[in-house]
Amino acid sequence: MGGTSIWHWIVVGLIVVLLFGRGKISDMMGDVAKGIKAFKKGMSEDDTPAKPAQPSEPVRTIDHQNGTTTTTTVSTDHKVG
C-alpha cells in the first residue's frame, strides 16, 4: 500500500486516455501552452499608463500653528522607472 510502481502509472495513463481520448488531451495541452505564452508576453510588455493624465486638483490644508488656510496643488502623475 502506498507504493506506486510503473504498472500503477501505466494503468492510470490508460484510463485517462480512455476517458478523455487522445484528441482532447492534446487540445488541452495546446490550450495550456497558449496560456503560458500569453502570460509570458503580458509579463514582458512595458507598463503603459492606462488612463490619460488628469489635471491636478488643489488641496486645502490648515496650518495649525498660525491658524491660516493654504491651498497647494498635488500632482497625480506617478511614473515608475
Side-chain angles (χ1 to χ4, degrees):
M1 288 308 257
T4 56
S5 67
I6 187 71
W7 294 109
H8 171 79
W9 291 113
I10 290 173
V11 170
V12 169
L14 287 173
I15 292 172
V16 168
V17 169
L18 287 174
L19 288 176
F20 294 108
R22 289 177 39 196
K24 284 187 180 180
I25 293 174
S26 64
D27 289 344
M28 285 191 303
M29 295 307 292
D31 291 341
V32 169
K34 287 178 186 176
I36 291 172
K37 287 179 184 177
F39 177 76
K40 286 182 179 179
K41 181 181 176 185
M43 292 299 290
S44 67
E45 290 179 353
D46 292 332
D47 292 333
T48 56
K51 57 183 178 180
Q54 297 176 352
S56 300
E57 298 179 13
V59 176
R60 295 183 63 110
T61 60
I62 298 175
D63 184 9
H64 293 287
Q65 293 176 352
N66 297 334
T68 60
T69 303
T70 58
T71 302
T72 57
T73 303
V74 177
S75 176
T76 58
D77 296 334
H78 300 285
K79 292 186 180 182
V80 177

